Amino acid sequence: MNSYSNIRKISSAGNPFWDRTEKAGVSGIVAGNLGNGVMEVDGKRFINMCSYSYLGLDSNPFILEGGLSALKNTGVLNSSISRVRIKLPLLEEVEVALSELFSVNALTTSSCASAASAMLPLLAAGFLTGNKPPVMVFDRSAHFCLNLMKPICADETQVLTAPHNDLNFLEDCCKKNSRVAYVADGVYSTGGAAKIKDLMSLQDKYGVFVLYDEAHGLSIKGRNGRGVVLEEMGGVNAHTMIIASLNKGFGGSGGVIFFDDSIKTSSLLRFGGPLSWSQRINTAGLGAILASVRIHASDEINVLQCRLAEKINRFDELVPSAALGDGLPIRLIPMADEVHAISAAAELMREGFYTSPLFYPVVAKDSPGLRVMLRANLDESDLEKFCAVVKSVL
């Protein structure tokens, strides 16, 4: 029996449902993008209700132009050499801009997942905890890209898995061990958030180090779109690291790591695996990030956040759920079983709306459902029609 991964088990259990999903026409779709979440297959339009572009910035003309301008001005798509040795001035400009925007030290990566694979082994080895390896406690619902690193972390230190958001479990670990690190999502990809204030209390009491995956939380809330975690914390501290996506709500490309001055950037770059390889965000992506930074630094971000909040509140009025009132754009609509989830998604697709059916291992075996992502640029009438169709398939 594997101690830290169960890939054979989850693939054998999940494959039948993925096959059914593809057969039902709700996965493996090749579609044209018509903008604002509207897509097209064989001349039939549908609205993507699972877009991660929570603020609608993925097709923002200003951001697209930023990518094009960067390509023209730089004259190269990729520098094709490790950034530890040589980097473009544009990369330096982007990281300075992000650092100033969010009042942190910011280090970009090719993706949020590569940030996780770079930072978690360093955390396990004690790089971020005074050279003393901490006991690593992973939240059971932490994203796959985090959990995937458990075997590597276990080669450096003890690795434990905590029930979802169970801070009593975490505090017990803190009482028994002098160094503890907790790995969790700021906003979980299937809905809900970490107990950030309570975790701050544990940080004050025990010095527990917390690494957050903020892929779904950046931009949707907070001053200048600094995200759910930074907004609630008030800023990053010496016991916290945040990895985030610059692709989803932010509307750019790649990922980013946020940390404070107690951590040396040079150490992260030299020993952080993917950070020292020749895989940076390409030039178009860097230009898009700079353009998005300007949007985040303007009043436009407040307007977009308010529009998103309005769409979330309207959905909650029409389709109440267990997540009612949390202010987050992700909703998981429970289904009777996996087959029901797939058939409901197929029916919604026929009505012109795409949702993704979730089943094991994405969610627990007894918790299948339809995942819905809400967006600031979702038309009000489309949202109301979608909610009516959802209620008809429940």
Side-chain angles (χ1 to χ4, degrees):
M1 184 67 178
N2 295 0
S3 298
Y4 303 104
S5 66
N6 57 354
I7 295 171
R8 280 182 295 179
K9 177 184 174 182
I10 63 177
S11 62
S12 62
N15 251 334
F17 299 110
W18 279 112
D19 289 341
R20 288 180 184 175
T21 303
E22 192 164 337
K23 187 176 181 180
V26 286
S27 72
I29 300 167
V30 179
N33 183 17
L34 302 179
N36 291 330
V38 180
M39 309 191 80
E40 185 178 69
V41 177
D42 297 330
K44 183 176 180 180
R45 293 157 60 97
F46 65 92
I47 296 170
N48 184 1
M49 296 299 298
C50 283
S51 169
Y52 298 119
S53 184
Y54 301 118
L55 300 182
L57 293 176
D58 61 337
S59 54
N60 181 281
F62 184 67
I63 292 178
L64 295 178
E65 181 56 37
L68 292 171
S69 296
L71 281 173
K72 292 175 183 176
N73 294 336
T74 307
V76 63
L77 179 62
N78 290 297
S79 51
S80 301
I81 188 171
S82 168
R83 60 166 292 167
V84 176
R85 302 180 186 281
I86 300 174
K87 64 180 177 181
L88 294 173
L90 181 60
L91 178 56
E92 180 86 359
E93 184 181 357
V94 163
E95 292 180 342
V96 168
L98 287 167
S99 298
E100 292 177 350
L101 178 69
F102 296 128
S103 300
V104 296
N105 290 324
L107 190 59
T108 58
T109 69
S110 59
S111 69
C112 199
S114 69
S117 65
M119 292 299 101
L120 285 171
L122 294 184
L123 177 57
F127 264 63
L128 312 180
T129 53
N131 290 320
K132 183 172 182 179
V135 172
M136 296 275 284
V137 181
F138 286 73
D139 188 286
R140 184 173 298 280
S141 296
H143 194 270
F144 182 77
C145 74
L146 302 174
N147 279 304
L148 189 64
M149 301 307 295
K150 283 180 179 177
I152 296 175
C153 292
D155 206 35
E156 300 283 351
T157 189
Q158 183 181 7
V159 170
L160 302 173
T161 301
H164 180 48
N165 273 344
D166 188 343
L167 299 194
N168 290 325
F169 181 101
L170 179 60
E171 185 165 17
D172 286 343
C173 293
C174 292
K175 291 175 180 177
K176 298 173 185 175
N177 301 278
S178 60
R179 291 284 189 279
V180 174
Y182 183 59
V183 181
D185 292 11
V187 175
Y188 286 86
S189 60
T190 54
K195 297 179 179 179
I196 300 165
K197 290 292 187 186
D198 292 337
L199 284 166
M200 291 174 68
S201 296
L202 291 181
Q203 288 182 310
D204 291 339
K205 190 173 182 180
Y206 299 104
V208 59
F209 193 97
V210 183
L211 186 146
Y212 291 102
D213 181 333
E214 183 72 326
H216 295 275
L218 195 66
S219 302
I220 65 171
K221 286 184 179 292
R223 177 171 52 86
N224 298 133
R226 61 181 174 174
V228 172
V229 175
L230 276 177
E231 181 68 7
E232 195 151 348
M233 290 188 68
V236 72
N237 60 37
H239 298 296
T240 305
M241 177 176 278
I242 300 169
I243 60 176
S245 172
L246 296 175
N247 180 5
K248 295 180 172 67
F250 194 82
S253 181
V256 66
I257 305 165
F258 296 150
F259 51 96
D260 85 335
D261 291 333
S262 65
I263 298 172
K264 291 184 178 180
T265 301
S266 59
S267 293
L268 301 185
L269 285 172
R270 291 168 185 170
F271 304 107
L275 297 185
S276 65
W277 303 335
S278 58
Q279 297 174 2
R280 62 166 176 82
I281 300 170
N282 67 37
T283 303
L286 293 173
I289 291 168
L290 272 184
S292 185
V293 165
R294 296 185 185 105
I295 291 174
H296 280 68
S298 73
D299 290 337
E300 186 176 353
I301 193 68
N302 302 320
V303 174
L304 294 173
Q305 288 177 343
C306 287
R307 286 177 187 166
L308 175 61
E310 290 169 1
K311 299 301 187 297
I312 294 169
N313 292 336
R314 184 59 177 149
F315 179 87
D316 284 346
E317 288 175 9
L318 298 173
V319 186
S321 70
L324 181 70
D326 69 2
L328 301 175
I330 303 173
R331 292 289 179 264
L332 185 64
I333 303 171
M335 294 282 120
D337 53 38
E338 291 89 346
V339 175
H340 183 207
I342 295 168
S343 63
E347 177 62 25
L348 284 163
M349 190 71 170
R350 285 190 287 271
E351 293 292 333
F353 298 97
Y354 177 78
T355 57
S356 57
L358 298 188
F359 36 75
Y360 182 81
V362 181
V363 292
K365 289 182 179 179
D366 60 352
S367 304
L370 293 179
R371 181 167 54 182
V372 175
M373 270 80 164
L374 299 163
R375 293 179 280 108
N377 61 344
L378 187 60
D379 185 81
E380 183 77 19
S381 62
D382 289 333
L383 176 59
E384 293 182 357
K385 181 182 176 183
F386 170 72
C387 291
V389 178
V390 165
K391 285 190 277 190
S392 74
V393 302
L394 285 178

